[in-house]
């Protein structure tokens, strides 16, 4: 149900005006998509929420702000390292994971790839390690601690809604 | 006020264009595929985000803002997926890493896995 | 605001934004032709689509016509599928 509302909102966003016709078309398209998605939609990806919704929205908001800050700061550092390639020290680091569910690992991998300078290469078969390529590596241990303390802890907080 | 918004929107447009441009330079200068991917995909994301923000501010209509926001969310959701797919495929295909690469823990991991059950693949 | 014989915004558009994007297109093509491996070329095409979206945004501002944003949306959607398809192909080929 909430998924249907989300689909309608997306449709209104890309069609660009709020009108009765658009809501109707969005409703029909959303129903078709839900019907076509079928069983895939019914899998429980996240643990069901326990907190009330204002708290959840506040946490998601805080997380996005943190993420945007990280994105811009890292973007500027990549900017500098492109203009001065002699400082490059690339490396591939194995980061052990504490997260367990598929959705959380996907989110973490995507966020790592989105922050410029780091790139998720591979997730181990047993879902316990993630391999990250980074363009400027001082010390593998501090890099690991950085990711665990920054993104992973926050995602854990986020998933305990 | 209108002038201020115009200046702001052009600031973001120039910001985005410069970011995309620097990403292009990075694509030429970086020594190996993974560095190039780091340099380009992500600067492109940030640059396009800046340009879309500039466009949204310039028009200032609900329809345009929501559409720019939709494009932004879409790029944010898909860029890491495609980067990850290409990186993974390239690595497993044996694209060489830059010779100054400090450590490569994934190679060790794969070698170990091959040692443990050699019939895999 | 007049500078260098034209409106300041036109000045930025003509001398900063459009040249930056166009030169980036040239860079992408150089990488596309030279790229030592297939993934390099795919990354170049992927980047090209990003530049295309940026260009459409700039063109929408320049002509004051927001229809181009729809085109940008479609381009962003389609290139993602293309890139995923290519990546899948490389993965399967080995």
């Amino acid at each position: 149900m909430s998924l249907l509302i989300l689909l309608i909102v997306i449709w209104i966003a890309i069609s660009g005006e709020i009108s009765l016709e658009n809501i109707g078309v969005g409703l029909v398209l959303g129903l078709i998509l839900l019907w076509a998605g079928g069983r895939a939609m019914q899998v429980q990806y996240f643990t069901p929420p326990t907190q009330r919704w204002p708290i959840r929205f506040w946490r998601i908001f805080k997380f996005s702000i943190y993420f945007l800050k990280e994105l811009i700061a890292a973007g500027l550092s990549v900017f500098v390292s492109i203009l001065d390639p002699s400082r490059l020290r690339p490396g591939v680091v194995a980061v052990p994971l504490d997260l367990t569910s598929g959705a959380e690992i996907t989110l973490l991998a995507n966020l790592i790839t989105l922050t410029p300078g780091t790139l998720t290469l591979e997730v181990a078969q047993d879902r316990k390690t993630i391999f990250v390529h980074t363009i400027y590596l001082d010390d593998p241990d501090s890099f690991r601690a950085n990711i665990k303390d920054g993104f992973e802890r926050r995602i854990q907080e986020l998933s305990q809604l | 006020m209108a002038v201020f918004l115009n200046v702001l929107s052009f600031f973001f447009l120039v910001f985005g264009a410069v970011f995309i441009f620097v990403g292009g330079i990075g694509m030429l200068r970086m020594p190996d595929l993974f560095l190039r991917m780091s340099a380009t995909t992500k600067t492109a994301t940030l640059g396009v985000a800046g340009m879309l923000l500039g466009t949204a501010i310039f028009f200032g209509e609900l329809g345009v803002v929501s559409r720019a926001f939709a494009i932004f969310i879409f790029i944010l959701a898909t860029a890491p997926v495609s980067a990850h797919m290409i990186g993974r495929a390239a690595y497993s295909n044996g694209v060489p890493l830059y010779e100054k690469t400090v450590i490569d823990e994934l190679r060790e991991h794969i070698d170990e896995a091959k040692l443990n059950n050699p019939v895999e693949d | 605001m007049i500078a260098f014989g034209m409106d300041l915004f036109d000045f930025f558009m003509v001398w900063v934004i459009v040249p930056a994007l166009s030169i980036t297109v040239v860079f992408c093509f150089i990488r596309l032709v030279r790229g030592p491996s297939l993934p390099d070329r795919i990354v170049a095409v992927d980047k090209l689509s990003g530049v295309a979206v940026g260009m459409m945004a700039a063109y929408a501002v320049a002509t004051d016509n927001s229809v181009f944003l729809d085109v940008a949306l479609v381009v962003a959607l389609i290139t993602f599928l293309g890139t995923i398809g290519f990546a899948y192909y490389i993965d399967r080929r080995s």
Side-chain angles (χ1 to χ4, degrees), chain B:
Chain B
M1 191 61 194
V3 173
F4 171 72
L5 282 184
N6 268 347
V7 170
L8 197 66
S9 91
F10 265 76
F11 169 76
F12 278 119
L13 279 172
V14 170
F15 171 85
V18 168
F19 244 87
I20 292 177
F21 179 62
V22 171
I25 296 177
M27 192 161 63
L28 279 187
R29 287 181 76 181
M30 287 297 188
D32 79 350
L33 171 76
F34 303 102
L35 289 171
R36 276 199 282 275
M37 265 167 58
S38 289
T40 59
T41 337
K42 272 67 64 76
T43 50
T45 312
L46 210 54
V48 169
M51 297 202 72
L52 287 173
L53 185 59
T55 315
I57 294 174
F58 182 81
F59 284 102
E61 300 160 15
L62 181 69
V64 178
V65 173
S66 69
R67 235 176 295 167
F69 191 68
I71 301 176
F72 174 58
I73 292 292
F74 187 76
I75 288 178
L76 217 58
T78 57
V81 178
S82 52
H84 169 67
M85 287 282 285
I86 298 174
R88 219 181 83 137
Y91 196 96
S92 64
N93 242 355
V95 171
L97 274 83
Y98 184 38
E99 62 262 27
K100 278 194 202 155
T101 302
V102 188
I103 49 171
D104 185 358
E105 288 176 344
L106 178 54
R107 176 61 60 209
E108 296 160 21
H109 173 79
I110 289 176
D111 288 346
E112 222 167 80
K114 284 229 175 85
L115 226 69
N116 288 342
N117 37 344
V119 207
E120 211 196 7
D121 261 315

Side-chain angles (χ1 to χ4, degrees), chain A residues 50-67:
Chain A
T50 49
Q51 305 277 351
R52 296 170 63 82
W53 67 266
I55 303 176
R56 294 165 58 196
F57 271 82
W58 171 242
R59 282 195 187 163
I60 291 174
F61 180 72
K62 229 169 55 180
F63 185 77
S64 347
I65 293 292
Y66 168 77
F67 173 65

Side-chain angles (χ1 to χ4, degrees), chain C:
Chain C
M1 277 187 275
I2 305 293
F4 304 99
M6 52 175 124
D7 194 315
L8 189 62
F9 300 140
D10 285 348
F11 174 78
F12 266 116
M13 194 55 107
V14 172
W15 289 106
V16 181
I17 297 173
V18 174
L21 293 177
S22 317
I23 295 171
T24 313
V25 171
V26 175
F27 286 170
C28 286
F29 269 98
I30 293 176
R31 184 46 73 192
L32 190 63
V33 173
R34 269 183 37 190
S37 62
L38 185 56
D40 279 299
R41 301 195 164 104
I42 297 170
V43 172
V45 173
D46 201 39
K47 170 88 176 163
L48 211 52
S49 82
V51 182
V53 174
M55 271 187 159
M56 282 160 197
Y59 200 70
V61 171
T63 57
D64 210 350
N65 189 349
S66 67
V67 173
F68 288 101
L69 279 184
D70 290 335
V71 188
L73 183 64
V74 173
V75 168
L77 278 164
I78 287 178
T79 3
F80 170 64
L81 288 182
T83 312
I84 291 294
F86 269 120
Y88 197 70
Y89 163 69
I90 299 176
D91 223 13
R92 284 293 108 129
R93 200 180 51 165
S94 56

